[in-house]
Amino acid sequence: MTTTESRGLAVVTGASAGIGAATAHALHEAGYTVLAASRRLNTEEPAATGITHHHLDVTDADSVAALAQTVTDHPQPLTLLVNNAGIPTPAATIADSDIADWHATYDTNVVGSLRTSQALLPQLIDNRGHIVFLGSTVGRVAYERGAAYAASKHALTAMVQTLRLELNGEPVRITEVAPGMMRGDERGGEFMRARFGNDQTAIDAVYQGIENPLVPADIAEIIVWCATRPPHVDIDLLEVRPLAQASQNKVHRTA
């Protein structure tokens, strides 16, 4: 049920699908005015949902500047930024990796979050706001054939931790939400399709025997919970895995 309480403006990047789309809807239900920013605009969603869609490419400085201007001109004060935009890399060993994939991943997953945070930070400070970064459990523990993505999430974690130190004393909360094994839809989600080049057999093998991996709605609910704590409560880091995943490399599979 949508609350009648106004919580200000929330900007969600990478909001066209998956965690971003689920978070945009969950925040709207929680009482935020939502600006869903993404490279691919959702033109099919009815305006009645109360979510405004905005084109954003976090790798483009002009695009980020345009977002900042839109936020400045918005009648609602900016109180929340969810840095969710990110891309995976194809499954490859370090020896066989394409350097271009590493550059693209770092520019989106790390520098993209830097760009949006820098652009919107003055307004977030003025409005006693909150920044939520979407990390990953691979930001702490790597795995084979995933070095580029893991490296980007390690870097993101370092940036989040540094920002928390640098903003100590300012009225801005900083949170990293780090999900473990997720499944975006019945086919594995866009992330897994990009990682394995739409090889459905490889995608299915990842989830073989896994009961109930995380889904985007799980993470969206967690983000809303973090954002709606009292202003003096800062959830620095929240790691979340499905019950079947005890660690990055230990997963219970049914027969």
Side-chain angles (χ1 to χ4, degrees):
M1 180 180 296
T2 303
T3 179
T4 57
E5 179 185 2
S6 175
R7 298 185 183 275
L9 176 66
V11 171
V12 182
T13 69
S16 62
I19 293 174
T23 299
H25 285 86
L27 288 170
H28 172 63
E29 289 293 315
Y32 286 90
T33 299
V34 177
L35 191 65
S38 59
R39 287 183 301 171
R40 294 175 301 160
L41 291 179
N42 186 343
T43 58
E44 297 180 355
E45 185 170 55
T49 60
I51 298 173
T52 301
H53 293 270
H54 179 94
H55 181 266
L56 172 68
D57 180 352
V58 298
T59 69
D60 185 312
D62 290 338
S63 182
V64 173
L67 170 68
Q69 187 60 55
T70 296
V71 171
T72 298
D73 295 339
H74 200 281
Q76 287 286 331
L78 176 67
T79 56
L80 176 63
L81 167 62
V82 180
N83 275 315
N84 169 74
I87 60 173
T89 48
T93 66
I94 290 176
D96 294 331
S97 291
D98 187 335
I99 298 297
D101 289 335
W102 282 67
H103 282 296
T105 303
Y106 196 89
D107 195 25
T108 302
N109 297 1
V110 185
V111 182
S113 290
L114 172 63
R115 288 189 182 97
T116 54
S117 298
Q118 283 184 331
L120 300 179
L121 188 56
Q123 296 182 64
L124 289 162
I125 292 175
D126 288 345
N127 300 327
R128 306 184 68 87
H130 190 175
I131 308 177
V132 176
F133 293 84
L134 256 294
S136 170
T137 54
V138 303
R140 287 155 185 83
V141 181
Y143 58 87
E144 298 94 336
R145 302 179 71 212
Y149 184 71
S152 75
K153 291 301 183 180
H154 274 73
L156 181 69
T157 292
M159 184 173 72
V160 174
Q161 292 174 346
T162 304
L163 186 61
R164 178 81 165 93
L165 294 171
E166 292 173 348
L167 291 180
N168 184 238
E170 296 285 0
V172 179
R173 295 186 291 169
I174 305 295
T175 296
E176 180 186 354
V177 175
M181 181 176 282
M182 289 199 57
R183 185 158 197 159
D185 58 32
E186 67 279 0
R187 292 181 55 80
E190 290 187 5
F191 180 95
M192 296 302 284
R193 289 194 286 274
R195 174 164 164 72
F196 291 105
N198 289 314
D199 183 343
Q200 195 60 45
T201 299
I203 295 171
D204 291 342
V206 173
Y207 300 106
Q208 182 66 41
I210 304 296
E211 291 186 355
N212 300 319
L214 299 173
V215 295
D218 296 324
I219 307 307
E221 182 178 354
I222 287 168
I223 291 171
V224 170
W225 180 80
C226 291
T228 55
R229 295 311 85 208
H232 70 287
V233 177
D234 191 322
I235 309 300
D236 280 348
L237 168 65
L238 198 157
E239 288 187 299
V240 54
R241 294 181 175 88
L243 181 60
Q245 186 184 33
S247 71
Q248 204 64 26
N249 298 309
K250 186 175 178 63
V251 181
H252 175 71
R253 299 178 188 270
T254 61

